[in-house]
Amino acid sequence: ELTHDLEMKELEARQQDVLDRELEEKCRAMEAQLQEKEKDNLELRKELQHKETLVAALRSSLRSKERRFLEEL
């Protein structure tokens, strides 16, 4: 009976080791995925900032043209 208990504990320990390794692999994969998403997010923020700058420049140009048009009237 003690041998059986010992074998069961060893089996449980091996199963736990396997589960631990699987969880570590999943964590590594999730961390890599998170880093990739953060990188994508940073690129999107840069692109958004660039587009906001372009929009501001276009608005300024539009206001300037509108003023000139009104002055001509």
Side-chain angles (χ1 to χ4, degrees):
E1 189 175 320
L2 290 174
T3 303
H4 177 67
D5 289 345
L6 183 59
E7 288 173 351
M8 291 303 293
K9 286 183 181 181
E10 287 175 359
L11 179 61
E12 288 174 6
R14 276 185 256 133
Q15 288 174 340
Q16 188 62 44
D17 287 343
V18 169
L19 288 174
D20 289 346
R21 274 187 245 116
E22 287 175 358
L23 285 174
E24 284 178 21
E25 288 174 20
K26 286 181 182 179
C27 279
R28 277 192 221 92
M30 295 292 280
E31 286 173 350
Q33 191 176 29
L34 176 61
Q35 287 177 348
E36 188 65 31
K37 295 288 184 187
E38 287 175 343
K39 179 183 169 189
D40 292 344
N41 196 15
L42 181 61
E43 290 174 11
L44 288 171
R45 283 179 194 232
K46 286 180 182 178
E47 184 180 338
L48 179 60
Q49 190 174 32
H50 177 70
K51 288 184 178 186
E52 286 174 343
T53 302
L54 289 174
V55 167
L58 288 171
R59 282 185 180 155
S60 176
S61 175
L62 181 60
R63 275 189 232 116
S64 176
K65 288 179 181 180
E66 185 179 23
R67 262 188 253 115
R68 273 188 257 134
F69 175 75
L70 289 173
E71 286 173 1
E72 288 177 9
L73 286 178

